[in-house]
Amino acid sequence: MLVGDDIGESTEGTKVEVTLGDIDLDQPRAVLSQLNVWLNDEGQGVERGVQLRKRKRIIPMWKIVEASEVVKKFLPKTTGLRTLDPMKAIPHDDMVKLLKLCSEWRHNPNLVMQFGNVEAEIEFFASLVKADGWLKGDHIDLGLYLIRKRQQQLKEVEISDWTTTDVFFMNHIHTCFADNKRKKEQVWWKIRTSLVNVVNGKVPACGLDWQNTYKVYVPCMLQKYKHWVALEIDLIQCEIKVYDSMVSLIPDQSLKEELGPLSITIPNLLHTLDFYEEGVYANECTRDWWCPWPIHRVDVPQQANQGDCGMFVLKYIELLSAEISLATCTSQNMPFFRLKLAAEIARGDAYMP
């Protein structure tokens, strides 16, 4: 346990409510408990007489970098993503930094902290550290960006097993499908530049050209059910795998119907871009281009509550991309993973193996 600075004051304005020495940094649940007191206690701002203003004060924390700007990490040759320990303890210094950051929000709920492209208000971390808290697209995108950035930091990435999209990729897919679904013949679809840039690896930041990968992981919000799932676009088997943390929520047929636009758009998109006509994938497509790609559900660990689907999606993608067992993806471990993600976002880097 550390002893140190005061990081709180009582609602009556007297000193001292909480110090670093009061919080056992070796107990992640104790840290989460204190963060929830500061960020999620209803009416706390009113009790302190804090009046929320329309004008926000934005504090830049860190910026998004492109792959070409990433500073490589010089780690032992035996170090790689496969040696990643999902349950490795969070460094004390990072938890102290996170506690102080959230303490600032407690004292000034009008603060806006900019992490990458996300302008985060107090609710951003409040929902992240809350048990059963709902993760939004910004949480998912920041988590995946840090995973892609780490991939670039570990080695010179030329040919890799994987890359990821961002949350907005599925919006591009639905727009493309809507633009072309009324065509009598599925020949040379009209493809918007925004979608081409994803396949070419120009977006999202630290992504890879699909010609240099075998799998593409996609975070997907099933709009009808308000439920996050992870998708794997297998560019070799020409199929789509679904990693769903609550299979009891959505019947298989309903799932396939909701993902129908993706299964139809992907082969047409890649055909229009001559994806299987050149490069490493020349003549490698195992299906006729006009055939929708099949959708398969994969047996994976299940969540035990209603709000953890976003965290499960992030952990599925992180561990699958590292070729690590999903055994740690349990509801019991999700509070720790929430705290770890909060610490990673605060520091601007995912933890190295």
Side-chain angles (χ1 to χ4, degrees):
M1 191 182 297
L2 297 183
V3 293
D5 304 324
D6 295 339
I7 52 175
E9 62 182 31
S10 71
T11 55
E12 292 79 23
T14 59
K15 215 172 182 175
V16 164
E17 181 183 292
V18 177
T19 69
L20 288 178
D22 295 325
I23 304 170
D24 189 347
L25 300 180
D26 291 318
Q27 297 295 325
R29 289 184 181 274
V31 178
L32 277 173
S33 177
Q34 186 58 54
L35 291 176
N36 274 286
V37 168
W38 289 339
L39 301 178
N40 284 308
D41 274 7
E42 295 182 0
Q44 190 176 57
V46 175
E47 290 176 5
R48 295 197 311 273
V50 173
Q51 297 296 320
L52 296 181
R53 304 184 305 272
K54 291 184 179 179
R55 191 181 185 90
K56 302 290 184 179
R57 177 186 168 202
I58 300 178
I59 302 177
M61 303 301 290
W62 49 265
K63 296 182 179 180
I64 295 286
V65 298
E66 299 297 332
S68 60
E69 303 171 293
V70 169
V71 177
K72 304 297 180 181
K73 301 288 185 181
F74 295 98
L75 300 174
K77 292 183 178 180
T78 55
T79 299
L81 284 180
R82 293 182 183 180
T83 65
L84 187 69
D85 178 3
M87 301 303 296
K88 186 177 181 179
I90 305 167
H92 283 191
D93 287 350
D94 289 344
M95 285 199 281
V96 170
K97 179 179 179 179
L98 177 63
L99 285 161
K100 289 185 174 181
L101 181 150
C102 292
S103 178
E104 288 186 48
W105 256 317
R106 175 178 182 266
H107 293 298
N108 185 359
N110 295 288
L111 288 178
V112 177
M113 301 190 190
Q114 185 162 359
F115 303 95
N117 296 329
V118 175
E119 293 184 356
E121 300 188 24
I122 188 171
E123 293 82 3
F124 178 87
F125 271 87
S127 59
L128 176 55
V129 302
K130 182 180 180 181
D132 207 18
W134 178 258
L135 297 196
K136 295 184 178 180
D138 284 344
H139 297 107
I140 305 290
D141 276 343
L142 282 183
L144 291 179
Y145 163 71
L146 296 179
I147 291 171
R148 293 192 304 274
K149 180 183 174 185
R150 178 176 60 196
Q151 179 193 37
Q152 298 282 352
Q153 290 172 321
L154 279 173
K155 60 182 179 180
E156 293 290 340
V157 179
E158 295 178 355
I159 301 295
S160 177
D161 284 343
W162 62 277
T163 190
T164 86
T165 71
D166 57 14
V167 168
F168 206 72
F169 172 75
M170 288 301 294
N171 294 71
H172 294 316
I173 289 293
H174 285 286
T175 299
C176 181
F177 181 74
D179 286 344
N180 294 280
K181 67 179 180 179
R182 291 177 180 165
K183 285 189 175 183
K184 293 182 179 179
E185 296 181 5
Q186 292 178 308
V187 178
W188 304 117
W189 273 29
K190 175 185 175 182
I191 307 295
R192 300 194 182 197
T193 303
S194 56
L195 196 50
V196 175
N197 286 340
V198 176
V199 177
N200 290 341
K202 295 181 179 179
V203 292
C206 290
L208 294 176
D209 187 328
W210 288 18
Q211 276 282 344
N212 297 333
T213 67
Y214 304 124
K215 304 169 186 175
V216 181
Y217 293 104
V218 180
C220 176
M221 163 67 76
L222 300 176
Q223 295 295 338
K224 182 178 179 180
Y225 297 90
K226 302 302 179 186
H227 177 62
W228 289 107
V229 296
L231 308 177
E232 179 188 304
I233 299 174
D234 190 321
L235 297 171
I236 296 178
Q237 298 299 322
C238 299
E239 63 184 17
I240 299 166
K241 298 175 183 176
V242 182
Y243 299 87
D244 182 1
S245 60
M246 190 176 282
V247 296
S248 61
L249 178 65
I250 308 171
D252 284 350
Q253 188 57 39
S254 297
L255 178 70
K256 291 179 179 180
E257 289 174 2
E258 186 140 356
L259 296 178
L262 179 66
S263 72
I264 295 172
T265 301
I266 285 295
N268 282 281
L269 163 65
L270 298 180
H271 172 72
T272 301
L273 298 179
D274 291 329
F275 189 83
Y276 289 102
E277 300 300 321
E278 55 189 25
V280 298
Y281 281 106
N283 303 314
E284 286 295 327
C285 186
T286 58
R287 302 183 190 280
D288 292 326
W289 66 265
W290 59 83
C291 294
W293 283 14
I295 299 169
H296 304 295
R297 243 180 183 148
V298 181
D299 186 19
V300 291
Q302 298 291 285
Q303 66 188 84
N305 56 29
Q306 296 298 315
D308 274 343
C309 55
M311 248 347 285
F312 269 87
V313 163
L314 282 173
K315 299 315 291 185
Y316 287 156
I317 293 176
E318 180 179 29
L319 299 184
L320 287 167
S321 63
E323 299 183 13
I324 296 174
S325 167
L326 298 181
T328 57
C329 284
T330 65
S331 289
Q332 181 180 2
N333 289 335
M334 287 302 143
F336 172 75
F337 290 145
R338 285 175 177 273
L339 180 61
K340 193 170 188 178
L341 177 59
E344 289 177 325
I345 290 175
R347 71 198 293 264
D349 280 300
Y351 290 110
M352 288 291 168

